[in-house]
PDB file of all heavy atoms in Angstrom:
ATOM      1  N   ILE A 584     159.760 -81.271 -46.822  1.00 79.00           N
ATOM      2  CA  ILE A 584     160.977 -81.036 -47.669  1.00 79.00           C
ATOM      3  C   ILE A 584     161.123 -81.966 -48.834  1.00 79.00           C
ATOM      4  O   ILE A 584     161.671 -81.719 -49.881  1.00 79.00           O
ATOM      5  CB  ILE A 584     162.250 -81.134 -46.683  1.00 79.00           C
ATOM      6  CG1 ILE A 584     162.357 -79.843 -45.871  1.00 79.00           C
ATOM      7  CG2 ILE A 584     163.505 -81.340 -47.429  1.00 79.00           C
ATOM      8  CD1 ILE A 584     163.528 -79.859 -44.981  1.00 79.00           C
ATOM      9  N   VAL A 585     160.568 -83.210 -48.613  1.00 82.00           N
ATOM     10  CA  VAL A 585     160.687 -84.226 -49.682  1.00 82.00           C
ATOM     11  C   VAL A 585     159.549 -84.059 -50.702  1.00 82.00           C
ATOM     12  O   VAL A 585     158.298 -84.023 -50.313  1.00 82.00           O
ATOM     13  CB  VAL A 585     160.651 -85.630 -49.047  1.00 82.00           C
ATOM     14  CG1 VAL A 585     160.867 -86.738 -50.132  1.00 82.00           C
ATOM     15  CG2 VAL A 585     161.779 -85.738 -47.998  1.00 82.00           C
ATOM     16  N   ASP A 586     159.866 -84.093 -51.978  1.00 78.00           N
ATOM     17  CA  ASP A 586     158.955 -83.802 -52.987  1.00 78.00           C
ATOM     18  C   ASP A 586     159.080 -84.730 -54.198  1.00 78.00           C
ATOM     19  O   ASP A 586     160.148 -85.292 -54.383  1.00 78.00           O
ATOM     20  CB  ASP A 586     159.000 -82.280 -53.358  1.00 78.00           C
ATOM     21  CG  ASP A 586     157.821 -81.786 -54.154  1.00 78.00           C
ATOM     22  OD1 ASP A 586     156.756 -82.453 -53.984  1.00 78.00           O
ATOM     23  OD2 ASP A 586     158.005 -80.871 -54.880  1.00 78.00           O
ATOM     24  N   ARG A 587     158.121 -84.808 -55.016  1.00 78.00           N
ATOM     25  CA  ARG A 587     158.151 -85.648 -56.259  1.00 78.00           C
ATOM     26  C   ARG A 587     158.853 -86.959 -56.105  1.00 78.00           C
ATOM     27  O   ARG A 587     159.864 -87.226 -56.713  1.00 78.00           O
ATOM     28  CB  ARG A 587     158.852 -84.691 -57.367  1.00 78.00           C
ATOM     29  CG  ARG A 587     157.961 -83.547 -57.772  1.00 78.00           C
ATOM     30  CD  ARG A 587     158.476 -82.901 -59.032  1.00 78.00           C
ATOM     31  NE  ARG A 587     158.852 -83.804 -59.992  1.00 78.00           N
ATOM     32  CZ  ARG A 587     159.803 -83.628 -60.965  1.00 78.00           C
ATOM     33  NH1 ARG A 587     160.505 -82.488 -60.947  1.00 78.00           N
ATOM     34  NH2 ARG A 587     160.070 -84.517 -61.922  1.00 78.00           N
ATOM     35  N   VAL A 588     158.161 -87.828 -55.325  1.00 79.00           N
ATOM     36  CA  VAL A 588     158.810 -89.108 -55.078  1.00 79.00           C
ATOM     37  C   VAL A 588     158.398 -90.140 -56.163  1.00 79.00           C
ATOM     38  O   VAL A 588     157.193 -90.201 -56.493  1.00 79.00           O
ATOM     39  CB  VAL A 588     158.328 -89.659 -53.687  1.00 79.00           C
ATOM     40  CG1 VAL A 588     158.872 -90.969 -53.366  1.00 79.00           C
ATOM     41  CG2 VAL A 588     158.575 -88.621 -52.626  1.00 79.00           C
ATOM     42  N   THR A 589     159.353 -90.849 -56.739  1.00 81.00           N
ATOM     43  CA  THR A 589     159.039 -91.852 -57.725  1.00 81.00           C
ATOM     44  C   THR A 589     159.679 -93.117 -57.189  1.00 81.00           C
ATOM     45  O   THR A 589     160.797 -93.276 -57.009  1.00 81.00           O
ATOM     46  CB  THR A 589     159.744 -91.525 -59.051  1.00 81.00           C
ATOM     47  OG1 THR A 589     159.445 -90.168 -59.418  1.00 81.00           O
ATOM     48  CG2 THR A 589     159.256 -92.443 -60.120  1.00 81.00           C
ATOM     49  N   VAL A 590     158.777 -94.102 -56.935  1.00 80.00           N
ATOM     50  CA  VAL A 590     159.306 -95.449 -56.455  1.00 80.00           C
ATOM     51  C   VAL A 590     159.313 -96.433 -57.559  1.00 80.00           C
ATOM     52  O   VAL A 590     158.288 -96.643 -58.172  1.00 80.00           O
ATOM     53  CB  VAL A 590     158.389 -95.913 -55.208  1.00 80.00           C
ATOM     54  CG1 VAL A 590     158.938 -97.224 -54.700  1.00 80.00           C
ATOM     55  CG2 VAL A 590     158.352 -94.849 -54.113  1.00 80.00           C
ATOM     56  N   ARG A 591     160.404 -96.931 -57.830  1.00 82.00           N
ATOM     57  CA  ARG A 591     160.538 -98.024 -58.916  1.00 82.00           C
ATOM     58  C   ARG A 591     160.756 -99.354 -58.171  1.00 82.00           C
ATOM     59  O   ARG A 591     160.800 -99.417 -56.955  1.00 82.00           O
ATOM     60  CB  ARG A 591     161.678 -97.742 -59.826  1.00 82.00           C
ATOM     61  CG  ARG A 591     161.429 -96.465 -60.688  1.00 82.00           C
ATOM     62  CD  ARG A 591     162.337 -96.449 -61.802  1.00 82.00           C
ATOM     63  NE  ARG A 591     162.076 -95.165 -62.593  1.00 82.00           N
ATOM     64  CZ  ARG A 591     163.083 -94.467 -63.097  1.00 82.00           C
ATOM     65  NH1 ARG A 591     164.338 -94.860 -63.005  1.00 82.00           N
ATOM     66  NH2 ARG A 591     162.818 -93.371 -63.798  1.00 82.00           N
ATOM     67  N   GLU A 592     160.977-100.399 -59.000  1.00 79.00           N
ATOM     68  CA  GLU A 592     161.086-101.705 -58.395  1.00 79.00           C
ATOM     69  C   GLU A 592     162.257-101.794 -57.449  1.00 79.00           C
ATOM     70  O   GLU A 592     162.130-102.242 -56.236  1.00 79.00           O
ATOM     71  CB  GLU A 592     161.287-102.764 -59.594  1.00 79.00           C
ATOM     72  CG  GLU A 592     160.769-104.086 -59.131  1.00 79.00           C
ATOM     73  CD  GLU A 592     160.959-105.092 -60.264  1.00 79.00           C
ATOM     74  OE1 GLU A 592     161.665-104.817 -61.284  1.00 79.00           O
ATOM     75  OE2 GLU A 592     160.412-106.185 -60.115  1.00 79.00           O
ATOM     76  N   MET A 593     163.462-101.436 -57.934  1.00 83.00           N
ATOM     77  CA  MET A 593     164.629-101.572 -57.100  1.00 83.00           C
ATOM     78  C   MET A 593     165.247-100.285 -56.600  1.00 83.00           C
ATOM     79  O   MET A 593     166.145-100.318 -55.790  1.00 83.00           O
ATOM     80  CB  MET A 593     165.776-102.230 -57.988  1.00 83.00           C
ATOM     81  CG  MET A 593     165.354-103.421 -58.680  1.00 83.00           C
ATOM     82  SD  MET A 593     165.420-104.839 -57.519  1.00 83.00           S
ATOM     83  CE  MET A 593     167.167-105.107 -57.402  1.00 83.00           C
ATOM     84  N   SER A 594     164.712 -99.174 -57.012  1.00 85.00           N
ATOM     85  CA  SER A 594     165.250 -97.878 -56.665  1.00 85.00           C
ATOM     86  C   SER A 594     164.171 -96.806 -56.606  1.00 85.00           C
ATOM     87  O   SER A 594     163.090 -97.069 -57.224  1.00 85.00           O
ATOM     88  CB  SER A 594     166.384 -97.508 -57.551  1.00 85.00           C
ATOM     89  OG  SER A 594     165.882 -97.299 -58.867  1.00 85.00           O
ATOM     90  N   SER A 595     164.480 -95.636 -56.138  1.00 88.00           N
ATOM     91  CA  SER A 595     163.545 -94.540 -56.094  1.00 88.00           C
ATOM     92  C   SER A 595     164.242 -93.215 -56.291  1.00 88.00           C
ATOM     93  O   SER A 595     165.519 -93.139 -56.248  1.00 88.00           O
ATOM     94  CB  SER A 595     162.771 -94.512 -54.788  1.00 88.00           C
ATOM     95  OG  SER A 595     162.260 -95.708 -54.418  1.00 88.00           O
ATOM     96  N   PHE A 596     163.401 -92.238 -56.608  1.00 87.00           N
ATOM     97  CA  PHE A 596     164.005 -90.832 -56.754  1.00 87.00           C
ATOM     98  C   PHE A 596     163.099 -89.848 -56.025  1.00 87.00           C
ATOM     99  O   PHE A 596     161.891 -90.051 -55.872  1.00 87.00           O
ATOM    100  CB  PHE A 596     163.962 -90.420 -58.213  1.00 87.00           C
ATOM    101  CG  PHE A 596     164.844 -91.295 -59.076  1.00 87.00           C
ATOM    102  CD1 PHE A 596     164.523 -92.496 -59.635  1.00 87.00           C
ATOM    103  CD2 PHE A 596     166.155 -90.826 -59.422  1.00 87.00           C
ATOM    104  CE1 PHE A 596     165.361 -93.204 -60.390  1.00 87.00           C
ATOM    105  CE2 PHE A 596     167.034 -91.583 -60.160  1.00 87.00           C
ATOM    106  CZ  PHE A 596     166.586 -92.773 -60.668  1.00 87.00           C
ATOM    107  N   PHE A 597     163.643 -88.823 -55.525  1.00 87.00           N
ATOM    108  CA  PHE A 597     162.847 -87.737 -54.822  1.00 87.00           C
ATOM    109  C   PHE A 597     163.659 -86.447 -54.887  1.00 87.00           C
ATOM    110  O   PHE A 597     164.853 -86.398 -55.045  1.00 87.00           O
ATOM    111  CB  PHE A 597     162.500 -88.171 -53.396  1.00 87.00           C
ATOM    112  CG  PHE A 597     163.692 -88.411 -52.538  1.00 87.00           C
ATOM    113  CD1 PHE A 597     164.219 -87.378 -51.755  1.00 87.00           C
ATOM    114  CD2 PHE A 597     164.300 -89.694 -52.474  1.00 87.00           C
ATOM    115  CE1 PHE A 597     165.298 -87.701 -50.832  1.00 87.00           C
ATOM    116  CE2 PHE A 597     165.387 -89.895 -51.630  1.00 87.00           C
ATOM    117  CZ  PHE A 597     165.936 -88.990 -50.796  1.00 87.00           C
ATOM    118  N   ASN A 598     162.867 -85.385 -54.798  1.00 84.00           N
ATOM    119  CA  ASN A 598     163.472 -84.049 -54.770  1.00 84.00           C
ATOM    120  C   ASN A 598     163.629 -83.537 -53.345  1.00 84.00           C
ATOM    121  O   ASN A 598     162.642 -83.673 -52.530  1.00 84.00           O
ATOM    122  CB  ASN A 598     162.537 -83.079 -55.586  1.00 84.00           C
ATOM    123  CG  ASN A 598     162.698 -83.196 -57.038  1.00 84.00           C
ATOM    124  OD1 ASN A 598     163.412 -84.117 -57.484  1.00 84.00           O
ATOM    125  ND2 ASN A 598     162.080 -82.239 -57.776  1.00 84.00           N
ATOM    126  N   VAL A 599     164.638 -82.800 -53.160  1.00 85.00           N
ATOM    127  CA  VAL A 599     164.825 -82.054 -51.904  1.00 85.00           C
ATOM    128  C   VAL A 599     165.414 -80.725 -52.152  1.00 85.00           C
ATOM    129  O   VAL A 599     166.073 -80.512 -53.210  1.00 85.00           O
ATOM    130  CB  VAL A 599     165.753 -82.803 -50.847  1.00 85.00           C
ATOM    131  CG1 VAL A 599     165.081 -84.076 -50.385  1.00 85.00           C
ATOM    132  CG2 VAL A 599     167.128 -83.126 -51.419  1.00 85.00           C
ATOM    133  N   PRO A 600     165.268 -79.671 -51.171  1.00 80.00           N
ATOM    134  CA  PRO A 600     165.978 -78.455 -51.488  1.00 80.00           C
ATOM    135  C   PRO A 600     167.444 -78.633 -51.618  1.00 80.00           C
ATOM    136  O   PRO A 600     168.005 -79.404 -50.804  1.00 80.00           O
ATOM    137  CB  PRO A 600     165.528 -77.553 -50.307  1.00 80.00           C
ATOM    138  CG  PRO A 600     164.375 -78.218 -49.732  1.00 80.00           C
ATOM    139  CD  PRO A 600     164.490 -79.698 -50.039  1.00 80.00           C
ATOM    140  N   GLY A 601     168.134 -77.859 -52.451  1.00 78.00           N
ATOM    141  CA  GLY A 601     169.536 -78.056 -52.593  1.00 78.00           C
ATOM    142  C   GLY A 601     170.371 -77.956 -51.393  1.00 78.00           C
ATOM    143  O   GLY A 601     171.324 -78.720 -51.164  1.00 78.00           O
ATOM    144  N   ASP A 602     169.979 -77.075 -50.424  1.00 77.00           N
ATOM    145  CA  ASP A 602     170.771 -76.985 -49.254  1.00 77.00           C
ATOM    146  C   ASP A 602     170.594 -78.027 -48.270  1.00 77.00           C
ATOM    147  O   ASP A 602     171.232 -78.087 -47.239  1.00 77.00           O
ATOM    148  CB  ASP A 602     170.517 -75.547 -48.588  1.00 77.00           C
ATOM    149  CG  ASP A 602     169.135 -75.326 -48.202  1.00 77.00           C
ATOM    150  OD1 ASP A 602     168.310 -76.209 -48.473  1.00 77.00           O
ATOM    151  OD2 ASP A 602     168.842 -74.309 -47.590  1.00 77.00           O
ATOM    152  N   ALA A 603     169.633 -78.979 -48.548  1.00 82.00           N
ATOM    153  CA  ALA A 603     169.398 -80.032 -47.594  1.00 82.00           C
ATOM    154  C   ALA A 603     169.953 -81.360 -48.150  1.00 82.00           C
ATOM    155  O   ALA A 603     170.103 -82.320 -47.455  1.00 82.00           O
ATOM    156  CB  ALA A 603     167.892 -80.241 -47.301  1.00 82.00           C
TER     157      ALA A 603
END
Side-chain angles (χ1 to χ4, degrees):
I584 282 180
V585 183
D586 194 23
R587 290 193 47 210
V588 182
T589 310
V590 180
R591 295 199 182 139
E592 206 181 12
M593 307 281 284
S594 60
S595 309
F596 295 84
F597 57 95
N598 281 9
V599 292
D602 60 354

